[in-house]
Amino acid sequence: MPELPEVETVRRGLERTVKGKTIRAVQLRRADLRVPFPAGFAEALSGATVEGVSRRAKYLLFSLDNGRTLVAHLGMSGRFSTHGEMPGLKAHDHAVFSFEGGGVLVFNDARRFGLMTLAETRKIALHPLFKDLGPEPLSGDFSAAYLKEQLARRKGPVKPVLMDQKLVVGVGNIYASEALFSVGIDPRTPASKAAARAGELVTAIQGVLEAAIASGGSSLRDFFDADGAAGYFQHRFRVYGREEEPCTTCGAPIRRIAQAGRSTFYCARCQKVPSP
DNA sequence: CCTTGAACCTGCGGGC
DNA sequence: TGCCCGCAGGTTCAAG
């Protein structure tokens, strides 16, 4: 389901609904998602108070008052939902968090590409999940100079390179296609050839991510924030999922190709390989 | 190192 | 109606 804008939307909802609440009990309805729940998971969380919910890349970080952080990734289909009292549990409701004074948080993930684990808050940057991640795209660390240097040493097509979380985090299959349309670069362009346009690419990536966050993310098959609301940025897609539909700029049919096993959408007329 | 392809798992829609 | 195929917002591992 989620790229950075969707995870950020979920984070904002969770911050509102669970910040300051104390976990009374955790019920796990299976032993693993993409990876096993760690030993002592429920016990470590019971009695802990959520001090805040932050985000690193596409991970949600619930910081607790016991020095640990609950790390959650939504994978492709993970969803959080909040309830006033214990709801009737449905298929793929894998983890259920009950809070003191009422309130229940349910994690549902049909495909189980998501994960939940615990980390020492103080050493979280060194955690295996985080130590090799690139800069946040909406931070100053994601600069034109940085992106130029990174693109210059890559030979593969620029679109899958932009989705490499070691280069920059948070950009997934939708927003990589959208950002490349926005700057008019052909997604098949060798990354090293796109390096000259690094400054525009940084601006385009930031622009599309910020616009999507402002719209509450994109809701495709599913995706609802913690309050059950759908995002609406999908109505503003220029290329993603629009194969054979006319380009909003020039009217040419949008094309779909496969790159590194994922669908890429682009306009063959508006998007060019930059000339050296 | 970089890059690609397969794997993980379930559900849905389209074509026959 | 039922079945098979391809497709889906991510990450990780092996192999070239």
Side-chain angles (χ1 to χ4, degrees), chain A residues 13-239:
Chain A
L14 290 171
E15 174 99 344
R16 265 207 336 283
T17 50
V18 306
K19 182 177 178 177
K21 290 207 173 185
T22 300
I23 299 168
R24 176 186 305 181
V26 180
Q27 178 194 2
L28 299 182
R29 304 182 72 230
R30 56 175 300 125
D32 61 85
L33 299 173
R34 195 179 86 214
V35 299
F37 288 97
F41 181 80
E43 294 74 13
L45 292 170
S46 298
T49 299
V50 179
E51 294 183 321
V53 184
S54 58
R55 178 190 58 72
R56 171 74 173 115
K58 300 171 188 169
Y59 294 88
L60 291 161
L61 308 175
F62 300 72
S63 65
L64 307 170
D65 68 346
N66 61 8
R68 297 208 253 192
T69 292
L70 166 60
V71 178
H73 195 291
L74 302 176
M76 292 280 255
S77 55
R79 295 132 83 160
F80 279 106
S81 59
T82 53
H83 310 265
E85 53 191 66
M86 186 62 69
L89 296 178
K90 306 182 303 294
H92 311 304
D93 284 344
H94 303 310
V96 183
F97 304 79
S98 307
F99 295 94
E100 301 288 352
V104 179
L105 180 67
V106 176
F107 182 73
N108 179 288
D109 184 4
R111 295 178 71 181
R112 301 201 304 276
F113 288 172
L115 71 82
M116 279 192 191
T117 193
L118 291 169
E120 295 289 324
T121 302
R122 205 167 45 82
K123 299 187 292 187
I124 200 153
L126 304 176
H127 190 282
L129 288 173
F130 302 109
K131 64 182 175 56
D132 294 323
L133 292 177
E136 287 289 326
L138 301 180
S139 76
D141 292 341
F142 186 54
S143 65
Y146 168 81
L147 183 60
K148 184 173 186 172
E149 181 211 325
Q150 291 295 313
L151 291 179
R153 61 187 210 192
R154 306 280 197 123
K155 192 152 172 50
V158 64
K159 188 262 192 172
V161 167
L162 292 179
M163 293 170 62
D164 184 346
Q165 304 295 295
K166 292 194 295 296
L167 190 148
V168 62
V169 302
V171 179
N173 204 37
I174 294 175
Y175 299 107
S177 279
E178 293 295 318
L180 286 168
F181 176 83
S182 174
V183 280
I185 296 177
D186 188 312
R188 299 165 297 180
T189 305
S192 55
K193 281 197 177 189
R197 308 277 302 280
E200 295 161 78
L201 261 172
V202 167
T203 302
I205 290 166
Q206 293 177 337
V208 71
L209 294 178
E210 283 169 352
I213 291 169
S215 296
S218 302
S219 294
L220 298 189
R221 289 147 277 288
D222 41 48
F223 177 63
F224 300 93
D225 66 21
D227 301 321
Y232 48 94
F233 191 75
Q234 67 279 9
H235 302 301
R236 291 170 57 186
F237 289 166
R238 311 291 296 280
V239 289

